[in-house]
Amino acid sequence: MGYAIQWVRSLIFNVQMYAAMLVMGIVFFPWALVSRRGALMACQTYCRWVCWTAGWMIGLRTEVRGTVPTDEVMIAAKHQSFLDILMIYGSVPAGKFIMKRELMWAPILGQYALRIGCVPVNRGKRGAAIKRMIADVAAGTQIAGQLIIYSQGTRVAPGARKPYKVGTYALYKQLGQPCVPAATNVGVFWPRHGIYRKPGTAVVEFLAPMAAGMSQADFMAHLETVVETRSDDLMREAGFEPDGVHH
């Protein structure tokens, strides 16, 4: 009975979450068109809304730990579900992502993405797009901020293992910026697929920054070790054993 009630609460939460995205997208759109600040405010307000409603609608609290990066860095994050995107973006002052160029033409969504500084990329031409972004930031035509990437390239379920892509290092080297790893346990409560959301405390934790200029071997080894180790710790804290044994 308890599961059924939580499933219904989760369904209602999911419906209002997507409805709020549409409503906020439309309400903030005029401001976003004339001001980057409007676009940033819209996106961060939405992130805060989802985290707030998750707390009282489905009993899922959110907690951001560690030192939140506020300068120009690359954030290499563990990605388990939509929630970790919202928690990271909602906590940093000017987050941005790499996106497929086709998304530029998506109604409303594409305009918001461009206004907050997301980098549109054609297939196979990421290096040129990042080079242009760096030049635009230097020239003042693009806002500086925190480039959020997912080193494994996709959502990875709790307990699953997936290799870290060497493209992470290519970006780190090209940007010439420190990298802030980020660990999470959100997938324990908010899975990649399905409606059900589990009560508890979802955590995203920013880890110690990695200085610019590391070698590829050292960078990749350190990034994977710290993110996987800390994510496993956070999942155990949430009652999930990454090796397959539930408590």
Side-chain angles (χ1 to χ4, degrees):
M1 186 65 178
Y3 179 90
I5 292 173
Q6 184 66 17
W7 190 93
V8 172
R9 292 173 68 189
S10 299
L11 176 63
I12 295 169
F13 167 76
N14 291 340
V15 170
Q16 71 81 28
M17 178 181 73
Y18 290 110
M21 180 186 292
L22 177 62
V23 171
M24 289 188 194
I26 294 171
V27 169
F28 278 92
F29 196 56
W31 186 16
L33 279 179
V34 299
S35 168
R36 285 192 177 120
R37 186 166 175 265
L40 289 169
M41 183 64 71
C43 296
Q44 290 173 341
T45 298
Y46 178 70
C47 293
R48 289 193 291 268
W49 172 266
V50 173
C51 291
W52 178 66
T53 54
W56 64 267
M57 291 186 76
I58 55 175
L60 179 55
R61 298 174 300 280
T62 56
E63 181 181 341
V64 176
R65 299 180 185 172
T67 302
V68 176
T70 56
D71 50 354
E72 203 170 0
V73 298
M74 182 179 84
I75 298 172
K78 181 79 172 173
H79 185 25
Q80 292 184 335
S81 76
F82 184 46
L83 182 58
D84 57 66
I85 297 176
L86 300 180
M87 289 176 67
I88 291 174
Y89 185 86
S91 64
V92 299
K96 52 190 173 182
F97 303 88
I98 295 172
M99 69 178 193
K100 294 177 181 178
R101 181 165 287 274
E102 306 89 78
L103 290 177
M104 287 173 56
W105 313 113
I108 301 180
L109 179 64
Q111 293 305 308
Y112 272 107
L114 290 176
R115 296 299 278 167
I116 67 173
C118 289
V119 186
V121 174
N122 286 323
R123 184 179 294 276
K125 295 185 177 179
R126 186 174 68 180
I130 296 298
K131 186 177 181 180
R132 186 167 58 251
M133 180 198 76
I134 294 169
D136 288 346
V137 169
T141 58
Q142 175 65 275
I143 54 174
Q146 300 77 43
L147 182 64
I148 303 163
I149 67 160
Y150 301 103
S151 305
Q152 291 168 295
T154 188
R155 293 170 297 177
V156 179
R161 302 297 174 186
K162 192 171 180 66
Y164 278 54
K165 294 179 177 291
V166 74
T168 304
Y169 177 77
L171 269 176
Y172 160 80
K173 184 177 180 181
Q174 187 177 6
L175 289 168
Q177 299 169 357
C179 172
V180 177
T184 191
N185 68 0
V186 301
V188 172
F189 308 99
W190 185 313
R192 294 180 300 163
H193 306 295
I195 292 171
Y196 185 79
R197 307 284 181 257
K198 182 181 175 182
T201 301
V203 179
V204 162
E205 183 170 346
F206 293 107
L207 308 177
M210 300 165 63
M214 294 176 67
S215 70
Q216 178 176 321
D218 289 346
F219 174 85
M220 294 301 297
H222 182 78
L223 177 66
E224 181 169 355
T225 298
V226 296
V227 171
E228 290 300 306
T229 299
R230 188 56 188 151
S231 293
D232 285 352
D233 289 344
L234 292 174
M235 285 186 276
R236 290 188 183 99
E237 183 182 307
F240 179 90
E241 177 53 57
D243 296 326
V245 180
H246 296 260
H247 298 300

